[in-house]
Amino acid sequence: MERKKVVAGVDVGGTNTIIGFVDRDGNILKEDRIKTNHYPVFEEFVAALYEKIDNITKGSEKELELIGIGIGAPMGNINKGTIEYPADLPWKGIMPLADILGRYTKLPVLVTNDANAAAVGEMVYGGAKGMKDFVVITLGTGLGSGFVVDGKLVYGHDGFAGEIGHTSIRPGESNRDCGCGKKGCIETYASATGLKRTLLKVMADSIEPSHLRKYSFDELDAKIIHDAALNGDHIAIGAFEHTGKMLGFKLADVVAHTNPEAIFLFGGLALAKDLIFEPTKRYMEQNLLSIYRGKVKLLESKLSTQNAAVLGASSLIWSTREQQ
Amino acid sequence: MERKKVVAGVDVGGTNTIIGFVDRDGNILKEDRIKTNHYPVFEEFVAALYEKIDNITKGSEKELELIGIGIGAPMGNINKGTIEYPADLPWKGIMPLADILGRYTKLPVLVTNDANAAAVGEMVYGGAKGMKDFVVITLGTGLGSGFVVDGKLVYGHDGFAGEIGHTSIRPGESNRDCGCGKKGCIETYASATGLKRTLLKVMADSIEPSHLRKYSFDELDAKIIHDAALNGDHIAIGAFEHTGKMLGFKLADVVAHTNPEAIFLFGGLALAKDLIFEPTKRYMEQNLLSIYRGKVKLLESKLSTQNAAVLGASSLIWSTREQQ
């Protein structure tokens, strides 16, 4: 009997690194994990990662044939197979992940960042099947973006295309600090953290009563603000409105760059559905040049938030095989 | 003797339409023109255009073999071969240029806008030879842009990719009107017209003496402001500084989208060299995320301003043949 082909999708996170063996239809057939922060030495992390992959491979070799390893990691560089200066991982500098893993295996290894992986995942398993030109925006703690042009992920000359989270919303005079060292980056507005910051601003300007006034900044999260907005809290609704204003403004820029068929919103903030989609779409349309108006779809990602990172990482390998 | 292969490059302008027969090295071997605005009926314009091309072909058929027609036009749509709702041409609505020309000839016909044509021209004949990822910004009366990703012009889903001239510099509160109906578009700052508008703003805010105070808005042009700046006029220098600030800010956005190797500036305003390049580069670097800093070249176009439109249009055909 022919064995089923699978790809190892690896999601490198600050706490856990999750490994899933994924088939072409996006089913995760095997899954395991290692503790990222147990390995302060990068080489030891890679050795442990390979050992896990090798164990799963050996345990399932009667049914499954592993054909490649796709890895999503913060600051993953697809051109070089590296992780470069990640803020939230235990290692410093440039880590040649694909090269080190290549000492253990001859299988193809591809590395990219989370948002690029999400974009390819959307194309291979999700709502962008059959689309040639689209963009995925990930709205988590920060804002990531992955661009697909003519059926291919845009890498860019240095492998770092799609970092629009760190474009600013206006020149010079912005006053919202970003963790990257700049000011006014769109992710300081359009992200779970950005929503919290905006809520405080709206609360400061308003005299409306709100039970959110009982929460500290640290206690607040996107879910609490979401629930309050659903209950008619004007301050929470105002925070979503302003978040949509900023995001819609930026998405109009995205459209003017690559004229996609659709923009997919993915991640925690996208779960707020109409609360975020409605104002975002409205302000995007308002900011579009007339030739683009009414044409670009704003869609929910069809990847489940839970598995998306592993699926996205695995999709890198499927997508590359199918383009050859 | 084998005949030399040439492409007809056609530059459709509001007043004149210029036709050049161009070889693979970018030499314009034959040239002629028709008056665009003598043909209020679009079909008659196309008939006259074809007649000119046919005349040149017949007059040179011993030496030259015409292999295709590339056309650059405002609002040219490369997916559909149309010109759509152009502001500065005598026709209204959607003109199916490639289709109508196809009634006369079986040669391949490609249509795109001026900035996309300039981008392909830069790749085929100019400073982007051998580059896979770059952007061309045209700074004329307005601001146009053409994106090349992985060696190919980005068309987008509707054929209108690369209209960043109409992205705004900030959300909502801008006060500079744009001809497109929106406010705060980057082309209201970074273009020959934008420079004039900024000069007036700087002049209004300043008490510095300047001989430019003797010029009306209508009398001013980029050349006069350029000459004044070279002579140390503080108001003119201030206008270039602010233009560079706005353009540099927007180019940092461009980098975050597609991570190009280089950005080429083309057109009248780019002729001001250091006056525009220095502040633009400085503000671009200031607005870049650290992973991009010091890596993206800001270069002068190597297409001569005079022939660029015809060369760019012709390059569409060479570039398409060579990718097949």
Side-chain angles (χ1 to χ4, degrees):
Chain A
M1 200 191 80
E2 205 182 332
R3 295 181 301 162
K4 192 166 206 176
K5 288 187 168 60
V6 290
V7 169
V10 179
D11 168 31
V12 181
T15 311
N16 290 303
T17 292
I18 300 167
I19 303 141
F21 276 36
V22 185
D23 70 13
R24 179 59 185 83
D25 296 324
N27 302 304
I28 300 180
L29 305 176
K30 303 278 170 188
E31 192 171 314
D32 208 341
R33 62 185 59 204
I34 60 176
K35 287 271 173 206
T36 313
N37 51 17
H38 281 194
Y39 303 94
V41 178
F42 185 69
E43 282 73 11
E44 291 173 8
F45 166 76
V46 181
L49 172 63
Y50 181 72
E51 196 187 329
K52 272 290 182 222
I53 293 174
D54 197 45
N55 282 345
I56 307 175
T57 309
K58 285 184 177 140
S60 62
E61 65 189 345
K62 285 194 184 141
E63 319 97 69
L64 305 182
E65 179 195 355
L66 185 65
I67 61 161
I69 302 170
I71 304 172
M75 305 309 283
N77 185 302
I78 195 152
N79 286 358
K80 296 187 273 179
T82 51
I83 298 176
E84 309 204 356
Y85 308 102
D88 303 319
L89 298 179
W91 321 293
K92 303 286 162 235
I94 299 179
M95 272 68 66
L97 175 52
D99 282 355
I100 299 182
L101 207 48
R103 295 180 201 157
Y104 299 99
T105 175
K106 294 208 169 354
L107 289 174
V109 176
L110 290 173
V111 180
T112 194
N113 70 42
D114 319 45
N116 281 347
V120 182
E122 204 69 49
M123 180 164 57
V124 170
Y125 311 118
K129 274 183 197 167
M131 286 189 188
K132 301 279 247 176
D133 297 278
F134 67 94
V135 179
V136 171
I137 305 288
T138 62
L139 300 167
T141 316
L143 183 154
S145 60
F147 286 74
V148 172
V149 163
D150 202 20
K152 285 187 186 167
L153 187 65
V154 178
Y155 295 178
H157 182 250
D158 297 304
F160 284 123
E163 285 289 350
I164 70 154
H166 298 284
T167 61
S168 307
I169 55 128
R170 60 170 73 90
E173 74 271 31
S174 298
N175 49 15
R176 206 173 270 197
D177 293 336
C178 184
C180 78
K182 302 203 302 150
K183 275 170 174 276
C185 293
I186 183 63
E187 82 164 35
T188 68
Y189 296 88
S191 64
T193 324
L195 179 69
K196 280 172 60 171
R197 298 173 78 165
T198 298
L199 183 89
L200 260 62
K201 171 73 169 62
V202 176
M203 198 180 279
D205 291 345
S206 160
I207 53 164
E208 290 266 348
S210 164
H211 85 280
L212 295 177
R213 293 190 187 271
K214 301 194 191 307
Y215 286 84
S216 72
F217 183 80
D218 285 348
E219 286 165 348
L220 281 169
D221 63 27
K223 177 77 169 56
I224 294 170
I225 304 171
H226 180 188
D227 290 344
L230 289 179
N231 286 322
D233 185 292
H234 286 284
I235 291 177
I237 292 169
F240 274 107
E241 169 78 13
H242 192 69
T243 304
K245 178 178 178 177
M246 293 304 193
L247 181 57
F249 170 72
K250 267 294 163 188
L251 295 187
D253 279 13
V254 165
V255 171
H257 281 74
T258 62
N259 187 12
E261 175 176 359
I263 299 175
F264 292 86
L265 302 185
F266 171 84
L269 203 52
L271 301 180
K273 299 199 185 268
D274 253 13
L275 277 170
I276 187 70
F277 276 81
E278 189 282 319
T280 302
K281 174 91 180 170
R282 177 159 37 88
Y283 285 105
M284 179 178 90
E285 290 290 335
Q286 217 175 81
N287 281 285
L288 284 176
L289 188 61
S290 59
I291 49 167
Y292 302 123
R293 270 181 213 149
K295 290 183 183 167
V296 183
K297 297 168 222 164
L298 188 65
L299 301 173
E300 280 179 71
S301 166
K302 287 208 177 154
L303 297 183
S304 87
T305 311
Q306 208 189 334
N307 300 324
V310 164
L311 290 180
S314 69
S315 67
L316 292 171
I317 300 284
W318 296 117
S319 146
T320 307
R321 279 167 64 97
E322 286 160 22
Q323 273 164 14
Q324 279 164 356
Chain B
M1 201 190 78
E2 205 183 332
R3 294 181 302 163
K4 190 167 207 175
K5 287 187 168 60
V6 289
V7 169
V10 179
D11 168 32
V12 181
T15 311
N16 289 303
T17 292
I18 302 167
I19 303 140
F21 275 35
V22 185
D23 71 13
R24 179 61 186 80
D25 297 325
N27 302 303
I28 299 179
L29 304 176
K30 304 279 169 187
E31 193 172 313
D32 207 340
R33 63 185 58 203
I34 61 176
K35 287 272 174 207
T36 313
N37 51 18
H38 282 194
Y39 303 94
V41 177
F42 185 68
E43 283 72 13
E44 291 172 10
F45 167 76
V46 181
L49 172 63
Y50 181 72
E51 194 186 330
K52 272 289 182 223
I53 294 173
D54 197 44
N55 282 345
I56 308 174
T57 309
K58 287 185 175 140
S60 61
E61 66 189 343
K62 286 196 183 140
E63 319 97 69
L64 305 180
E65 179 194 356
L66 185 65
I67 62 161
I69 302 169
I71 304 172
M75 305 309 285
N77 184 302
I78 195 152
N79 286 359
K80 296 187 272 176
T82 51
I83 299 176
E84 308 204 356
Y85 309 100
D88 303 321
L89 298 178
W91 320 294
K92 304 286 163 234
I94 299 179
M95 272 68 65
L97 176 50
D99 281 355
I100 299 182
L101 208 48
R103 294 180 200 157
Y104 299 99
T105 174
K106 293 207 167 1
L107 290 173
V109 176
L110 290 173
V111 179
T112 194
N113 70 42
D114 320 47
N116 281 348
V120 182
E122 204 69 49
M123 180 164 60
V124 171
Y125 311 119
K129 273 182 198 168
M131 286 188 188
K132 300 278 248 176
D133 296 279
F134 67 94
V135 179
V136 171
I137 305 288
T138 62
L139 300 166
T141 317
L143 184 155
S145 60
F147 286 74
V148 172
V149 163
D150 201 20
K152 284 188 186 166
L153 187 65
V154 178
Y155 296 177
H157 183 250
D158 296 305
F160 284 123
E163 286 289 350
I164 70 154
H166 297 284
T167 61
S168 308
I169 55 128
R170 61 170 72 91
E173 74 271 32
S174 299
N175 48 16
R176 207 173 268 196
D177 291 336
C178 184
C180 78
K182 301 202 304 149
K183 276 170 173 278
C185 293
I186 182 63
E187 82 163 37
T188 68
Y189 296 88
S191 64
T193 324
L195 179 70
K196 281 172 60 170
R197 298 173 78 165
T198 299
L199 183 90
L200 260 61
K201 172 72 170 60
V202 176
M203 197 180 278
D205 290 345
S206 159
I207 54 164
E208 290 267 347
S210 163
H211 85 279
L212 295 178
R213 292 191 188 271
K214 301 193 191 308
Y215 287 82
S216 72
F217 183 80
D218 285 347
E219 286 164 348
L220 281 170
D221 63 29
K223 177 77 169 55
I224 293 169
I225 304 171
H226 180 189
D227 289 343
L230 289 179
N231 285 322
D233 186 291
H234 286 283
I235 290 177
I237 292 169
F240 274 106
E241 170 77 12
H242 191 70
T243 304
K245 178 178 177 178
M246 294 304 192
L247 181 56
F249 170 73
K250 266 294 161 189
L251 295 187
D253 279 13
V254 165
V255 171
H257 281 74
T258 62
N259 187 11
E261 174 177 359
I263 299 175
F264 292 86
L265 301 187
F266 170 86
L269 202 53
L271 301 178
K273 297 197 187 272
D274 254 13
L275 277 170
I276 187 70
F277 276 81
E278 189 281 321
T280 302
K281 175 91 179 166
R282 178 159 37 88
Y283 284 106
M284 180 179 88
E285 290 290 335
Q286 218 173 81
N287 281 285
L288 283 176
L289 189 60
S290 60
I291 49 167
Y292 301 123
R293 270 181 212 149
K295 290 182 182 167
V296 183
K297 298 169 220 163
L298 188 65
L299 301 172
E300 280 179 71
S301 166
K302 287 204 177 155
L303 296 183
S304 87
T305 311
Q306 209 189 333
N307 299 325
V310 165
L311 290 180
S314 69
S315 68
L316 292 171
I317 299 285
W318 296 116
S319 148
T320 306
R321 279 168 64 96
E322 287 160 21
Q323 273 165 15
Q324 278 164 354

